Amino acid sequence: MHVFAMLRGGDICGMTKPSFSKVWILDERKLVAEVLYVEPVIRFCAVISQDDQVRRRAIEKLESEWGKLVFQSAPLPFLAGGFYTPAMGAGLRKELLAFEQPLSPDGLADWKLWTNAVEAEFPSTDDSIKRPLNLDPGYITQAKLVLATTKDRDHRIYLRNGIFGEITLTYSAKKWNHHRWTYPDYRTDKVCEFVMQCRNHLRERLLAGDGFRNRKSTG
């Protein structure tokens, strides 16, 4: 417990005797930040490959593990400035999958570790394609899209087990906005349309229950 006083009169040299006008007694036991309810999120995954059959098999695997899809994009061009071409080949396409059931965001690292293991189940059958499949999981809230990644950068936060989280898009002024680090393939109108669908679905689920803007303590 600490006592704080506000001084009246005097100066910094102490030539005039100060007087105390108000006293506060603060109990630091009551200053601990309260852990509040965290809204659930919509889990999604980007499935990237040049091979349509590989994408289809990966999507089936994701559905069997993570449940029913609520949204699925058409195959979209994967824009990465050629960074993935040496390992994955040219003409890459990406499909975005959103899963119906909202859930806690604290599983993000686990999701990425699992998708890394799934990628290993798709070995290369062509010497020119070292990585047939790339899976990028993440989640969508009412305010942001978060991606999981194994690569550290100045704008990423470490989670655990070698996995980092990146806020790739943020929602403000009734639209989705990208940042200086946002991947080119997440800056497109098609992606923003998909993410808006996910946001609307999440809001409907929250409004239908008791989770919308619930600020109650979890304790």
Side-chain angles (χ1 to χ4, degrees), residues 11-201:
D11 56 34
I12 61 173
C13 297
M15 295 180 66
T16 303
K17 184 177 180 180
S19 62
F20 294 93
S21 61
K22 290 183 180 180
V23 176
W24 292 273
I25 299 177
L26 299 182
D27 187 344
E28 56 272 329
R29 292 173 299 179
K30 297 181 180 179
L31 298 179
V32 177
E34 186 178 12
V35 177
L36 300 176
Y37 167 85
V38 176
E39 287 184 352
V41 301
I42 296 298
R43 176 165 54 182
F44 79 94
C45 190
V47 181
I48 305 160
S49 179
Q50 68 166 195
D51 188 324
D52 294 344
Q53 293 303 313
V54 168
R55 288 199 310 275
R56 180 185 58 79
R57 288 168 49 209
I59 291 169
E60 291 174 354
K61 178 76 173 181
L62 286 160
E63 285 187 277
S64 68
E65 181 71 17
W66 288 354
K68 183 179 178 182
L69 298 179
V70 66
F71 300 115
Q72 178 176 354
S73 76
L76 305 172
F78 181 60
L79 309 173
F83 179 81
Y84 289 90
T85 301
M88 299 189 67
L92 294 172
R93 309 284 281 179
K94 175 177 76 172
E95 293 183 53
L96 293 169
L97 314 175
F99 296 85
E100 182 179 41
Q101 183 62 43
L103 74 173
S104 172
D106 59 12
L108 181 59
D110 289 332
W111 308 343
K112 183 62 173 176
L113 292 169
W114 182 78
T115 57
N116 284 350
V118 172
E119 287 184 21
E121 298 176 10
F122 290 77
S124 175
T125 58
D126 185 333
D127 291 340
S128 64
I129 306 297
K130 299 177 182 178
R131 187 183 183 186
L133 175 66
N134 184 359
L135 297 175
D136 279 338
Y139 63 76
I140 295 162
T141 76
Q142 295 189 79
K144 57 187 177 288
L145 179 150
V146 178
L147 280 175
T149 177
T150 59
K151 305 178 187 69
D152 188 15
R153 295 290 187 275
D154 62 317
H155 56 277
R156 294 171 180 166
I157 300 297
Y158 184 65
L159 302 176
R160 61 180 178 81
N161 296 94
I163 306 301
F164 298 80
E166 172 189 290
I167 298 177
T168 299
L169 298 173
T170 50
Y171 185 80
S172 62
K174 297 185 178 181
K175 66 177 182 177
W176 289 96
N177 304 281
H178 60 258
H179 306 283
R180 61 173 176 82
W181 55 80
T182 303
Y183 293 120
D185 58 308
Y186 278 92
R187 300 183 181 214
T188 67
D189 291 341
K190 291 293 185 183
V191 169
C192 289
E193 290 172 8
F194 173 86
V195 179
M196 186 67 83
Q197 285 181 307
C198 294
R199 182 180 188 272
N200 291 340
H201 173 69

